[in-house]
């Protein structure tokens, strides 16, 4: 089979507070997303978000349905956002195809058939994608970094100078919100001061890390924080009740994705640094 999937069930903050390192990683960490010639999926019970990776090598990889979705086709009742973090590739949507360079994003609406292809086997594409339930169909749209809404935040003094690219802020979606954050050279902190948003879950994919570099991803309730050590091309799930922040051993990039009750990026509950434990 070219598609494999795992399932992650929703965990409450009380259970999380008592977890060991291995238990935290088993429930929230997602590794092995990008295997040559395969599609790997994680079906979550956090707003039914699916986190996936596809690395086409010898030919197209079709995004076929899996049992937890419960429909005849993968996007029969879902929408999809794809971000390419590898070499040039193509995403076939219905009878058409869209070329995605590195860091290009494609939104695919309800009901479409999708397949992934690399333009070069020597430098294959690495498609990272997120899917959430949809209630209506919006048109397929290609968004590059130049088309995304950009916010420049932070400073060198606080080690968090970064550029935020809001991919989905310029298009309509049912509930999925996706963007990318790039930290400047010499900056290592993201999303600090932290926040929570109980209306939406979130997933992070950390990338552009050297093999010997790591990001310490912080999660948990503000008064009961935990951490997970992340390597390159690894993802982590953040329930709505949890903070989501990270500090790396060098600068890096990450793709953030949310699904839930609304698509308002600013709908967050801020956490003062002095209140964290």
């Amino acid at each position: 089979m070219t598609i494999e999937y795992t399932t992650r069930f929703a965990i409450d903050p009380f259970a999380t507070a008592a977890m060991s390192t291995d238990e935290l990683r088993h429930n929230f960490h997602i590794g092995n997303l990008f295997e040559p010639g395969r599609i790997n999926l994680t079906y979550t019970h956090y707003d039914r978000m699916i986190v996936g990776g596809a690395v086409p090598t010898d030919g197209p990889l079709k995004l076929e349905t899996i049992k937890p979705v419960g429909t005849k086709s993968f996007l029969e009742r879902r929408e999809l956002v794809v971000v390419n973090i590898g070499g040039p590739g193509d995403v076939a949507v219905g009878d058409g195809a869209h070329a995605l360079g590195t860091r290009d994003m494609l939104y695919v609406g309800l009901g479409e058939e999708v397949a992934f292809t690399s333009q070069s086997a020597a430098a294959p594409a690495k498609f990272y994608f997120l899917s959430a339930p949809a209630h209506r169909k919006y048109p397929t749209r290609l968004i590059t970094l130049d088309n995304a809404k950009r916010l420049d935040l932070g400073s060198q003094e606080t080690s968090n100078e970064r550029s935020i690219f809001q991919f989905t802020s310029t298009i309509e979606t049912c509930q999925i919100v996706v963007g990318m954050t790039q930290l400047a050279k010499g900056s290592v902190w993201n999303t600090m001061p932290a926040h929570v948003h109980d209306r939406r879950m979130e997933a992070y994919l950390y990338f552009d890390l050297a093999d010997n570099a790591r990001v310490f991803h912080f999660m948990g309730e503000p008064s009961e924080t935990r951490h997970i050590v992340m390597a390159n091309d690894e993802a982590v799930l953040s329930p709505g009740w949890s903070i989501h922040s990270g500090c790396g051993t060098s600068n890096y990039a990450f793709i953030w994705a949310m699904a839930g009750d609304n698509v308002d990026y600013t709908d967050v509950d801020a956490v003062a640094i002095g209140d964290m434990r």
Side-chain angles (χ1 to χ4, degrees):
M1 291 182 64
T2 57
I3 296 181
E4 295 287 344
Y5 72 89
T6 59
T7 300
R8 301 294 176 87
F9 295 96
I11 306 295
D12 67 74
F14 306 103
T16 302
M19 286 182 177
S20 68
T21 296
D22 286 344
E23 289 170 331
L24 285 171
R25 295 181 71 85
H26 175 76
N27 284 286
F28 301 104
H29 174 267
I30 301 174
N32 302 318
L33 271 171
F34 303 104
E35 294 185 294
R38 303 183 67 83
I39 295 176
N40 287 330
L41 306 173
T42 298
Y43 181 95
T44 85
H45 284 256
Y46 300 109
D47 294 294
R48 305 289 170 171
M49 174 76 88
I50 294 176
V51 178
V55 184
T57 51
D58 299 330
L61 291 175
K62 184 178 179 181
L63 184 57
E64 297 176 329
T65 193
I66 56 175
K67 185 177 179 180
V69 172
T71 54
K72 293 181 180 179
S73 64
F74 191 90
L75 295 182
E76 184 175 324
R77 297 179 59 84
R78 287 181 162 268
E79 59 186 353
L80 178 77
V81 169
V82 182
V83 184
N84 182 16
I85 62 169
D90 297 293
V91 180
V93 180
D95 295 330
H98 303 268
L100 270 68
T102 302
R103 305 192 182 201
D104 287 346
M105 186 219 83
L106 185 71
Y107 172 82
V108 183
L110 182 86
E112 298 284 7
E113 296 285 345
V114 173
F116 306 102
T117 308
S118 294
Q119 295 181 10
S120 169
K126 288 198 296 186
F127 294 108
Y128 175 65
F129 57 91
L130 299 307
S131 177
H135 62 273
R136 61 165 295 180
K137 184 179 180 66
Y138 288 110
T140 297
R141 290 282 302 276
L142 176 65
I143 308 292
T144 66
L145 287 185
D146 291 338
N147 302 136
K149 180 180 178 181
R150 177 171 175 166
L151 300 173
D152 294 312
L153 301 175
S155 67
Q156 287 187 333
E157 288 75 18
T158 51
S159 303
N160 68 346
E161 184 180 0
R162 63 200 189 276
S163 296
I164 299 172
F165 300 89
Q166 297 178 355
F167 286 127
T168 54
S169 66
T170 59
I171 63 173
E172 287 189 289
T173 69
C174 291
Q175 65 163 316
I176 200 164
V177 179
V178 179
M180 186 192 77
T181 299
Q182 175 69 62
L183 273 75
K185 189 174 182 180
S187 287
V188 293
W189 273 104
N190 76 67
T191 326
M192 184 59 71
H195 60 253
V196 296
H197 36 66
D198 200 42
R199 279 76 62 194
R200 302 187 305 274
M201 63 79 66
E202 190 156 4
Y204 274 17
L205 172 76
Y206 290 104
F207 69 108
D208 272 3
L209 276 167
D211 289 343
N212 62 347
R214 294 293 185 270
V215 172
F216 287 71
H217 178 84
F218 296 98
M219 62 165 297
E221 290 187 293
S223 60
E224 193 79 33
T225 59
R226 296 292 183 267
H227 75 270
I228 297 176
V229 180
M230 309 290 298
N232 189 51
D233 289 351
E234 294 182 343
V236 63
L237 300 173
S238 177
W241 50 263
S242 173
I243 65 166
H244 36 280
S245 180
C247 187
T249 57
S250 65
N251 63 311
Y252 53 91
F254 65 98
I255 296 168
W256 42 269
M258 297 177 278
D261 270 341
N262 64 51
V263 293
D264 181 2
Y265 176 80
T266 63
D267 178 21
V268 302
D269 299 315
V271 177
I273 291 178
D275 292 337
M276 293 180 62
R277 296 291 183 268

